[in-house]
Amino acid sequence: MSTATEAPPGMASATLLQLMWLASPALPIGGFSYSEGLEAAVHAAHVTTEAQAAGWLVQQLHLTQARGDMAAIAQALPAWLGGDVQRVQQLNGWVLATRETSELRLQTEQMGRSLADWLRNQHTADAGRSAQIRQLAALSGQRPSYPIAFALATAFTGAVAQQALLAYAFGWAENMVQAAIKAVPLGQSAGQRILARLAREIPAAVAHAESLPDDARQAFSPLLAILSARHEHQYSRLFRS
């Protein structure tokens, strides 16, 4: 029988702690600065209530994150572990090409660059990571996107794809719920209810992301792209996307 102090079966305590660290909004990569179109949806009156905010974020989780960025992470993790730089660069190029507005492109580049810098600061002196640090340096010339940098960060932890995606999705959910609290606006209790709903949806989104081959990945979300384009010229805004 496991005790309350033990890590989940199959996951070392060090891995669990590293994933919690990567999922934390306190990680200095700027995730709190973005709403990924949610602020524009509020401005356009698509999202004005707790129920609408929850529905919007659940759809975004399944329609854009699971089918796009999370699927790319699931494929980039084994590529990093196998030293397949060409595959990593291919996936990075795909992520960058899916950004339909300049602010969404700037978001993934800024967060990817910040996470890459954080990884260098954490692991530069770690001789055991020298090969992966060289891979990260090679990727830097291509402007690392956030999902691909996150895949490398989880490769350092020893996590498997499912664990990496759970951490990524929960970190995304926390940032988006905080954006909803500020933009709609909502109270903290409403935010926790939305986060609880997203947490129930995340395992299915992770399973879907893991199942997708190259030709099934997609990032087709027309309304989100339109709202993001409008947000770039929105008169008053709190967030960078």
Side-chain angles (χ1 to χ4, degrees):
M1 179 180 297
S2 63
T3 68
T5 59
E6 291 177 343
M11 184 188 295
S13 296
T15 296
L16 176 59
L17 287 169
Q18 288 291 317
L19 290 176
M20 291 168 62
W21 193 355
L22 290 172
S24 172
L27 196 71
I29 58 174
F32 62 88
S33 303
Y34 303 97
S35 80
E36 300 184 19
L38 178 61
E39 185 175 37
V42 172
H43 184 76
H46 294 301
V47 177
T48 61
T49 66
E50 175 186 337
Q52 290 174 335
W56 182 274
L57 294 179
V58 167
Q59 288 189 49
Q60 194 165 359
L61 171 67
H62 289 296
L63 298 179
T64 65
Q65 288 294 326
R67 300 190 302 180
D69 287 2
M70 290 168 62
I73 292 170
Q75 295 173 356
L77 178 56
W80 278 120
L81 292 172
D84 190 347
V85 177
Q86 183 176 1
R87 173 66 167 159
V88 168
Q89 291 176 337
Q90 176 192 40
L91 290 166
N92 190 63
W94 183 86
V95 171
L96 294 176
T98 64
R99 279 8 190 206
E100 296 176 297
T101 65
S102 61
E103 67 175 20
L104 292 177
R105 174 71 175 250
L106 289 171
Q107 175 183 345
T108 199
E109 289 183 351
Q110 180 271 302
M111 291 180 65
R113 181 175 63 253
S114 295
L115 183 53
D117 290 342
W118 182 84
L119 285 170
R120 289 190 193 94
N121 290 335
Q122 292 292 314
H123 299 292
T124 296
D126 187 349
R129 304 295 188 189
S130 58
Q132 286 162 314
I133 293 297
R134 287 196 300 271
Q135 292 168 355
L136 183 57
L139 182 60
S140 296
Q142 199 189 23
R143 296 182 178 178
S145 64
Y146 175 58
I148 303 308
F150 188 89
L152 178 60
T154 55
F156 287 175
T157 72
V160 299
Q162 181 191 48
Q163 297 164 350
L165 291 172
L166 287 170
Y168 171 89
F170 191 79
W172 171 86
E174 277 202 296
N175 275 322
M176 294 302 294
V177 166
Q178 287 302 311
I181 287 173
K182 295 174 185 176
V184 174
L186 299 170
Q188 292 293 333
S189 294
Q192 288 299 299
R193 288 191 292 270
I194 296 172
L195 188 60
R197 182 174 172 188
L198 286 167
R200 293 193 295 271
E201 299 282 344
I202 283 173
V206 167
H208 185 58
E210 286 190 281
S211 72
L212 295 178
D214 277 6
D215 59 1
R217 287 196 317 269
Q218 59 177 294
F220 182 66
S221 185
L223 179 57
L224 186 62
I226 291 169
L227 289 170
S228 177
R230 290 176 178 173
H231 185 264
E232 292 176 353
H233 306 283
Q234 190 169 304
Y235 173 71
S236 177
R237 58 185 186 175
L238 297 172
F239 299 94
R240 297 177 66 185
S241 72

